[in-house]
Amino acid sequence: LKGVRLAVRPHPLEDATRYGDCLRELGIEAPIFAHEDLAEVFARSVAVIAPFSTAVVEANLADRPVAVLNLGGEPDYVPYVERGGAVGVRDLAELPGVIRDFVEHGPLWRRLYGSRRSFLEDFASTGVGDSPSRMADAIFSLEGDLRAGTRERQVRIDD
């Protein structure tokens, strides 16, 4: 997209060189912020593209629109999209339009902006409710499934 610059912020436990290799193979010039604080990266960003990650909540806390990539056809592990914290992207062909909308403050951006407060009350609340414990339970459950090599059971935190 003209006028849009990509930057990559891998998870701290990931090998950042694989992103460099991928970007070179695709012919994309993009900085890789492997060691920068996530809040600093968000402060310099217009929008965030992420898979299933707690970075979705952190981006919302930083007042940034989020697109959640789920290209595998599986249901989302955490209902970020259905709760209004992100736009779901199921096909890479959708991504340029979503990014354009975010940059231009289009209808998707406005929808996320309007739902951010209630989303954060669900996912980042430290007051009323048990959102933090539900999130922790979902993460531990998913970790156990991954260690056991099973992914048949979907983790839901909105029960």
Side-chain angles (χ1 to χ4, degrees), residues 23 26-27 53 70 77 113 120 122-123 146 149 154-155:
L23 291 169
L26 294 170
S53 171
N70 181 348
Y77 288 113
Y113 182 80
L120 289 172
D122 282 347
F123 282 94
L146 293 174
Q154 295 299 311
V155 177

mmCIF file of all heavy atoms in Angstrom, residues 23 26-27 53 70 77 113 120 122-123 146 149 154-155:
data_model
loop_
_atom_site.group_PDB
_atom_site.id
_atom_site.type_symbol
_atom_site.label_atom_id
_atom_site.label_comp_id
_atom_site.label_asym_id
_atom_site.label_seq_id
_atom_site.Cartn_x
_atom_site.Cartn_y
_atom_site.Cartn_z
ATOM 1 N N LEU A 23 10.990 -11.756 5.012
ATOM 2 C CA LEU A 23 10.860 -10.444 4.385
ATOM 3 C C LEU A 23 11.786 -10.324 3.174
ATOM 4 O O LEU A 23 11.372 -9.801 2.128
ATOM 5 C CB LEU A 23 11.152 -9.339 5.400
ATOM 6 C CG LEU A 23 10.114 -9.163 6.504
ATOM 7 C CD1 LEU A 23 10.647 -8.235 7.594
ATOM 8 C CD2 LEU A 23 8.808 -8.648 5.942
ATOM 9 N N LEU A 26 10.387 -12.219 0.257
ATOM 10 C CA LEU A 26 9.243 -11.525 -0.342
ATOM 11 C C LEU A 26 9.624 -10.181 -0.963
ATOM 12 O O LEU A 26 8.794 -9.536 -1.586
ATOM 13 C CB LEU A 26 8.157 -11.304 0.718
ATOM 14 C CG LEU A 26 7.498 -12.570 1.259
ATOM 15 C CD1 LEU A 26 6.621 -12.238 2.460
ATOM 16 C CD2 LEU A 26 6.689 -13.257 0.164
ATOM 17 N N GLY A 27 10.865 -9.763 -0.745
ATOM 18 C CA GLY A 27 11.306 -8.474 -1.288
ATOM 19 C C GLY A 27 10.715 -7.286 -0.554
ATOM 20 O O GLY A 27 10.507 -6.222 -1.137
ATOM 21 N N SER A 53 -2.927 -13.440 20.368
ATOM 22 C CA SER A 53 -1.862 -12.907 21.207
ATOM 23 C C SER A 53 -2.441 -11.933 22.214
ATOM 24 O O SER A 53 -3.407 -11.226 21.921
ATOM 25 C CB SER A 53 -0.841 -12.184 20.322
ATOM 26 O OG SER A 53 0.101 -11.488 21.095
ATOM 27 N N ASN A 70 -6.110 -14.994 11.170
ATOM 28 C CA ASN A 70 -6.416 -16.396 11.425
ATOM 29 C C ASN A 70 -6.606 -17.025 10.052
ATOM 30 O O ASN A 70 -7.700 -17.027 9.509
ATOM 31 C CB ASN A 70 -7.663 -16.539 12.284
ATOM 32 C CG ASN A 70 -7.975 -17.995 12.587
ATOM 33 O OD1 ASN A 70 -7.405 -18.902 11.990
ATOM 34 N ND2 ASN A 70 -8.891 -18.219 13.508
ATOM 35 N N TYR A 77 -9.101 -18.809 19.051
ATOM 36 C CA TYR A 77 -8.899 -19.323 20.403
ATOM 37 C C TYR A 77 -9.491 -18.395 21.451
ATOM 38 O O TYR A 77 -9.996 -18.839 22.473
ATOM 39 C CB TYR A 77 -7.407 -19.506 20.697
ATOM 40 C CG TYR A 77 -6.802 -20.655 19.952
ATOM 41 C CD1 TYR A 77 -5.857 -20.449 18.964
ATOM 42 C CD2 TYR A 77 -7.183 -21.956 20.232
ATOM 43 C CE1 TYR A 77 -5.305 -21.513 18.277
ATOM 44 C CE2 TYR A 77 -6.639 -23.024 19.544
ATOM 45 C CZ TYR A 77 -5.703 -22.794 18.572
ATOM 46 O OH TYR A 77 -5.163 -23.838 17.892
ATOM 47 N N TYR A 113 -13.061 1.566 17.364
ATOM 48 C CA TYR A 113 -12.967 2.699 18.291
ATOM 49 C C TYR A 113 -14.180 2.730 19.222
ATOM 50 O O TYR A 113 -14.056 2.929 20.426
ATOM 51 C CB TYR A 113 -12.839 4.008 17.515
ATOM 52 C CG TYR A 113 -12.692 5.218 18.394
ATOM 53 C CD1 TYR A 113 -11.457 5.537 18.949
ATOM 54 C CD2 TYR A 113 -13.785 6.034 18.689
ATOM 55 C CE1 TYR A 113 -11.311 6.639 19.777
ATOM 56 C CE2 TYR A 113 -13.647 7.136 19.508
ATOM 57 C CZ TYR A 113 -12.413 7.436 20.050
ATOM 58 O OH TYR A 113 -12.280 8.523 20.866
ATOM 59 N N LEU A 120 -12.162 -3.674 26.410
ATOM 60 C CA LEU A 120 -11.161 -3.613 27.472
ATOM 61 C C LEU A 120 -11.758 -3.940 28.834
ATOM 62 O O LEU A 120 -11.078 -4.533 29.675
ATOM 63 C CB LEU A 120 -10.475 -2.251 27.489
ATOM 64 C CG LEU A 120 -9.529 -2.013 26.319
ATOM 65 C CD1 LEU A 120 -9.043 -0.574 26.300
ATOM 66 C CD2 LEU A 120 -8.370 -2.989 26.345
ATOM 67 N N ASP A 122 -13.947 -6.162 29.276
ATOM 68 C CA ASP A 122 -14.009 -7.627 29.269
ATOM 69 C C ASP A 122 -12.638 -8.269 29.456
ATOM 70 O O ASP A 122 -12.505 -9.265 30.160
ATOM 71 C CB ASP A 122 -14.574 -8.137 27.940
ATOM 72 C CG ASP A 122 -16.070 -8.007 27.839
ATOM 73 O OD1 ASP A 122 -16.717 -7.745 28.869
ATOM 74 O OD2 ASP A 122 -16.594 -8.170 26.722
ATOM 75 N N PHE A 123 -11.616 -7.707 28.809
ATOM 76 C CA PHE A 123 -10.334 -8.397 28.734
ATOM 77 C C PHE A 123 -9.225 -7.819 29.592
ATOM 78 O O PHE A 123 -8.256 -8.505 29.874
ATOM 79 C CB PHE A 123 -9.842 -8.455 27.284
ATOM 80 C CG PHE A 123 -10.531 -9.511 26.494
ATOM 81 C CD1 PHE A 123 -11.653 -9.210 25.746
ATOM 82 C CD2 PHE A 123 -10.080 -10.815 26.513
ATOM 83 C CE1 PHE A 123 -12.301 -10.185 25.020
ATOM 84 C CE2 PHE A 123 -10.718 -11.797 25.800
ATOM 85 C CZ PHE A 123 -11.836 -11.487 25.045
ATOM 86 N N LEU A 146 -1.437 -27.898 23.775
ATOM 87 C CA LEU A 146 -0.297 -27.869 22.865
ATOM 88 C C LEU A 146 0.787 -28.846 23.310
ATOM 89 O O LEU A 146 1.390 -29.530 22.490
ATOM 90 C CB LEU A 146 0.257 -26.450 22.747
ATOM 91 C CG LEU A 146 -0.663 -25.449 22.064
ATOM 92 C CD1 LEU A 146 -0.073 -24.049 22.137
ATOM 93 C CD2 LEU A 146 -0.929 -25.845 20.625
ATOM 94 N N GLY A 149 -0.164 -32.225 22.425
ATOM 95 C CA GLY A 149 -0.245 -32.456 20.984
ATOM 96 C C GLY A 149 -1.658 -32.524 20.460
ATOM 97 O O GLY A 149 -1.904 -33.035 19.375
ATOM 98 N N GLN A 154 -11.403 -26.568 21.676
ATOM 99 C CA GLN A 154 -11.196 -25.135 21.563
ATOM 100 C C GLN A 154 -11.313 -24.485 22.930
ATOM 101 O O GLN A 154 -12.158 -24.859 23.740
ATOM 102 C CB GLN A 154 -12.246 -24.506 20.627
ATOM 103 C CG GLN A 154 -12.110 -24.983 19.199
ATOM 104 C CD GLN A 154 -10.749 -24.613 18.621
ATOM 105 O OE1 GLN A 154 -10.318 -23.483 18.725
ATOM 106 N NE2 GLN A 154 -10.082 -25.572 18.006
ATOM 107 N N VAL A 155 -10.470 -23.531 23.191
ATOM 108 C CA VAL A 155 -10.471 -22.821 24.463
ATOM 109 C C VAL A 155 -11.388 -21.634 24.344
ATOM 110 O O VAL A 155 -11.255 -20.829 23.432
ATOM 111 C CB VAL A 155 -9.042 -22.351 24.818
ATOM 112 C CG1 VAL A 155 -9.057 -21.560 26.103
ATOM 113 C CG2 VAL A 155 -8.118 -23.547 24.922
#
